[in-house]
Amino acid sequence: MKEKHYQVAVIGGGISGAALLYELARYTDIDSMVLLEKYGGLATLNSKGTANSQTVHCGDIETNYTFEKASKVKKTADMVVKYGLQHGYQDKYMFDGQKMAIGVGDVEVEYIKKRYEEFKVLYPYIEFYDKEELAKIEPKIIYDENGNKRSEDVVGMGVKSGVYTTVDFGAFTSTFVDNARKEGKECDVYLNSEVIDINQIGDKFFISTKNGLSISADFVVVDAGAHSLFLAHRMGYGLDYGCLPMAGSFYLTKQKLLNGKVYMVQNPKLPFAALHGDPDILAGGCTRFGPTALAMPKLERYHGTYRSFMDFCKTLNFDGDIVSIFWDLLKDSEIRNYIFRNFMFEVPYLNKKLFVKDARKIVPSLQVSDIYYAKGFGGVRPQVLNKTEKKLMLGEASINTGKGIIFNMTPSPGATSCLGNALRDVKEICSYLGKTFNEEKFNEELVGKE
């Protein structure tokens, strides 16, 4: 097959790769680009609506975000909302609604009170709710199975309406690609095109795919989840990193229990999301509880068990430094107990009983018969292990080689941050290739006034 050359190649057809394709097509003078996707459709893995909580993580109710991180995430979350409004996706793929973070018990109540005072400057719409107000707007949080108010004090911080809280990120992925193609540039998309090798010869990158495509590019961005690090290692980059895939499972209720999203206070020692309840837009508004957090020796949860396991072994990059990181995590009793408990959430018969016990912190009246395991829901998030600093990195990681190729790993809030992350890469690509980025147009459409 004759080689086809592009100025930019994007590997990975999830929301991160699709957002990058859109920004390249709309806001730069780059006129040839290609998106390569391993599977037969876009957003089949972690960007799929059933693989994430469908939440716009802007930092107002995510108690694991510092003020500084929340400030950064808010800007990228606003870009997603502005994009949705620009194209008329509200009430189609993007929805407003109620959301809150709650504190249960004296310690958490004081925490929420202090956090509200600090964060209302950044989010002027945030309201504070005492127990009496919560009983009116989210009664399932307050009343037990006998109709009595729970004994602990409960408060919340959040918003009742008027803020976009929920996005079908899978649908958004397809819109990014569709809108990129409308820009009239050479914008090709190849599905069923798994990248097996990338070689750099001079200033060109040669990409080999499993289905025999022959593609070259001047610049490459790999937005392939955990496989980004796998491909980086194949090229000799990021060898000071390892990957610990974390799988999240969910449970669905048989009816709508919550009026909006309800998040709990995060344990600062635990690097994974605390259990929360969300009205699922793909399940008729029934409440979805989760996620659990289980280390899984696979880079992809529902695909190719043996192959995915072998890729995990290579990407873990196991050595004494990895052992040291694991030991530091496991010697903490809270983290160790959390890991063991989440493992038990996957054990048949025991799983529902244990899960309901935890979920009753949100809905005290919840019964085992009210929920069922959401089969096929959840995905895998690549948590990066920094072998140099001997610690688990939280959030996103990017390897910019400075040589025309970037490797991105984007666990939560990767979907919310997709346009912000793409902006960072677009600027790097344009600088490297000597191309122009129309920042004025970008800011007018996706940033607006500060």
Side-chain angles (χ1 to χ4, degrees):
M1 181 179 177
K2 185 179 179 181
E3 174 198 312
K4 189 164 186 181
H5 184 75
Y6 299 88
Q7 289 171 308
V8 181
V10 180
I11 299 172
I15 196 167
S16 294
L20 176 58
L21 191 78
Y22 172 73
E23 289 190 19
L24 289 170
R26 185 160 181 81
Y27 302 111
T28 78
D29 59 355
I30 293 169
D31 53 25
S32 70
M33 60 205 76
V34 62
L35 177 70
L36 299 168
E37 165 54 33
K38 179 179 182 179
Y39 293 111
L42 299 171
T44 63
L45 296 175
N46 295 328
S47 301
K48 189 177 180 181
T50 55
N52 55 73
S53 61
Q54 307 162 354
T55 300
V56 180
H57 290 293
C58 68
D60 49 7
I61 64 169
E62 289 81 10
T63 62
N64 55 321
Y65 293 2
T66 63
F67 188 90
E68 290 72 25
K69 180 174 181 177
S71 301
K72 294 177 182 178
V73 171
K74 181 180 182 298
K75 292 179 181 178
T76 61
D78 288 346
M79 291 178 191
V80 169
V81 172
K82 286 183 171 64
Y83 169 81
L85 293 174
Q86 176 189 346
H87 293 278
Y89 297 141
Q90 62 269 35
D91 300 321
K92 185 177 181 182
Y93 307 133
M94 183 175 75
F95 307 89
D96 73 349
Q98 183 172 287
K99 63 175 177 178
M100 65 181 68
I102 62 169
V104 180
D106 294 341
V107 174
E108 290 187 2
V109 164
E110 287 304 310
Y111 175 84
I112 290 293
K113 287 179 178 178
K114 291 179 181 178
R115 189 174 182 88
Y116 166 72
E117 292 298 327
E118 179 184 6
F119 278 71
K120 67 181 182 181
V121 177
L122 189 58
Y123 306 96
Y125 57 80
I126 283 289
E127 301 173 321
F128 180 81
Y129 309 122
D130 61 17
K131 193 173 183 178
E132 293 303 315
E133 182 65 16
L134 288 175
K136 298 174 185 176
I137 63 175
E138 201 66 91
K140 289 291 185 180
I141 294 176
I142 302 301
Y143 295 100
D144 64 19
E145 66 271 27
N146 298 316
N148 299 317
K149 287 186 176 180
R150 65 196 301 172
S151 59
E152 316 100 316
D153 192 14
V154 185
V155 299
M157 56 181 285
V159 62
K160 296 174 188 174
S161 64
V163 174
Y164 288 99
T165 62
T166 308
V167 167
D168 182 343
F169 291 112
F172 257 47
T173 301
S174 295
T175 70
F176 282 137
V177 172
D178 292 342
N179 289 324
R181 287 172 144 174
K182 291 177 183 176
E183 293 298 318
K185 299 180 178 181
E186 185 176 20
C187 186
D188 293 336
V189 177
Y190 293 104
L191 304 177
N192 294 308
S193 301
E194 179 182 356
V195 172
I196 55 177
D197 222 348
I198 308 170
N199 291 292
Q200 184 173 13
I201 302 176
D203 293 331
K204 285 176 66 175
F205 292 90
F206 295 87
I207 302 169
S208 302
T209 67
K210 205 169 184 178
N211 63 348
L213 290 177
S214 182
I215 288 174
S216 63
D218 299 318
F219 201 106
V220 176
V221 178
V222 185
D223 278 319
H227 275 96
S228 292
L229 189 57
F230 175 81
L231 290 170
H233 285 171
R234 286 184 69 91
M235 294 188 70
Y237 296 116
L239 296 178
D240 54 336
Y241 292 147
C243 179
L244 177 65
M246 296 298 300
S249 295
F250 293 90
Y251 286 82
L252 274 165
T253 61
K254 299 173 183 177
Q255 59 184 322
K256 180 180 177 179
L257 293 184
L258 296 172
N259 294 320
K261 293 178 177 290
V262 179
Y263 280 53
M264 296 196 299
V265 172
Q266 172 110 2
N267 184 332
K269 288 187 177 182
L270 300 173
F272 317 112
L275 186 149
H276 47 82
D278 303 90
D280 194 307
I281 58 175
L282 301 179
C286 290
T287 304
R288 194 209 297 190
F289 286 107
T292 62
L294 178 69
M296 180 171 286
K298 295 175 63 177
L299 297 191
E300 296 176 6
R301 187 166 190 185
Y302 300 114
H303 296 274
T305 300
Y306 176 75
R307 167 76 183 281
S308 190
F309 171 73
M310 295 306 296
D311 289 351
F312 157 75
C313 292
K314 296 173 183 177
T315 312
L316 177 61
N317 208 6
F318 188 79
D319 60 11
D321 292 330
I322 297 295
V323 173
S324 178
I325 295 172
F326 286 164
W327 174 247
D328 285 342
L329 291 172
L330 291 174
K331 69 184 181 182
D332 186 297
S333 61
E334 284 187 76
I335 295 177
R336 187 171 63 248
N337 292 338
Y338 175 82
I339 292 172
F340 176 73
R341 189 170 187 82
N342 275 265
F343 172 78
M344 297 303 292
F345 286 155
E346 302 293 328
V347 178
Y349 181 73
L350 293 176
N351 52 1
K352 286 178 65 175
K353 291 185 177 182
L354 290 172
F355 186 85
V356 164
K357 187 176 180 180
D358 281 7
R360 281 178 179 158
K361 188 172 181 180
I362 298 176
V363 178
S365 62
L366 193 68
Q367 303 295 314
V368 171
S369 59
D370 292 332
I371 66 169
Y372 63 95
Y373 183 81
K375 187 176 180 181
F377 281 60
V380 169
R381 302 294 184 265
Q383 301 293 333
V384 178
L385 305 170
N386 188 319
K387 297 167 66 174
T388 301
E389 298 180 10
K390 293 184 174 58
K391 68 177 185 179
L392 175 69
M393 294 176 63
L394 304 182
E396 303 160 355
S398 181
I399 302 171
N400 184 352
T401 66
K403 299 178 180 179
I405 186 166
I406 295 171
F407 303 89
N408 294 321
M409 290 142 282
T410 52
S412 181
T416 299
S417 301
C418 64
L419 287 168
N421 291 337
L423 172 63
R424 174 201 64 207
D425 291 345
V426 163
K427 289 181 176 180
E428 175 67 18
I429 293 166
C430 287
S431 175
Y432 187 89
L433 297 179
K435 295 293 182 177
T436 301
F437 167 59
N438 191 336
E439 190 164 8
E440 182 179 353
K441 182 178 180 181
F442 181 92
N443 288 338
E444 180 183 344
E445 292 184 352
L446 297 181
V447 178
K449 295 180 180 180
E450 291 293 330

